[in-house]
Amino acid sequence: MSNHYDQSLLNKSRKDKFFLTIFLPEALRKLKSNDERSNEKVNLESLQMSIYGTIVPKNVIPQEEVRYAGSTVYVSSHNKPSYDPVSVNFTVDNEFKNYWVIHKWLDLLRNEKTGIFEHPEMEKDKGLGQYSTDFVITAKDEYHNDVIQWVYKSAFPVGLGEISYNYRDGGEIETTFEFVFRRIETNLITL
């Protein structure tokens, strides 16, 4: 008797096939420069990087206890708590471009020279919309085809990890950054 499988039992999701795409928010795009390197500007409209570690947050709708007929039963709260910050592990590119974009973004939120949220490119009345954007994490299969996406809506970074230099270590420079977001959309990609 032969069994028919649509997929080989050896095909498994891989941990090394995740890409993060960030379309830079309005305030950061205003800092765009045509110069290849600038201490005050960025030279990208969007950022895409291969990531090697993150957590897709739990999807939780808490239950509530309700007393009914001498018992206590659970019902849905129909409410969703805010998500915890998401941490992303990434490899810093050889020109530090991906690191620099996150660094300048955090500088927009709190200027490191003045210590306040008052950058010339920021308009106080626009709020979250000018410094948040969608972050898209895409998982790929073994043939490099997109298979699923998580779209983090109204996302912005809240922390950038340290860089540890060691001349004895011949590996690539790795670090992390954390971001927060309003909601998440999960989409299967048609193959």
Side-chain angles (χ1 to χ4, degrees), residues 129-147:
Q130 67 181 329
Y131 63 82
S132 69
T133 189
D134 293 349
F135 287 22
V136 180
I137 295 180
T138 305
K140 297 182 177 283
D141 66 11
E142 65 274 19
Y143 303 107
H144 212 61
N145 298 314
D146 296 350
V147 291

Side-chain angles (χ1 to χ4, degrees), residues 37 44 47-49 90-100 173:
R37 295 180 71 78
L44 302 170
L47 178 66
Q48 184 176 36
M49 62 178 110
F90 70 100
T91 302
V92 177
D93 65 69
N94 64 347
E95 293 182 359
F96 284 76
K97 285 183 180 180
N98 54 7
Y99 179 88
W100 185 250
I173 297 173

Side-chain angles (χ1 to χ4, degrees), residues 55-58 81-87 128 132-135 151-158 178-185:
I55 294 174
V56 175
K58 290 192 294 186
S82 62
Y83 293 100
D84 292 332
V86 173
S87 183
L128 177 67
S132 69
T133 189
D134 293 349
F135 287 22
V151 182
Y152 298 86
K153 305 300 267 182
S154 298
F156 60 94
V158 295
E178 281 190 334
F179 68 90
V180 293
F181 57 98
R182 280 204 177 160
R183 65 185 171 88
I184 186 172
E185 295 176 0

Side-chain angles (χ1 to χ4, degrees), residues 67-87:
R67 296 188 56 76
Y68 177 76
S71 297
T72 304
V73 296
Y74 286 116
V75 297
S76 175
S77 67
H78 304 291
N79 189 8
K80 192 170 226 169
S82 62
Y83 293 100
D84 292 332
V86 173
S87 183

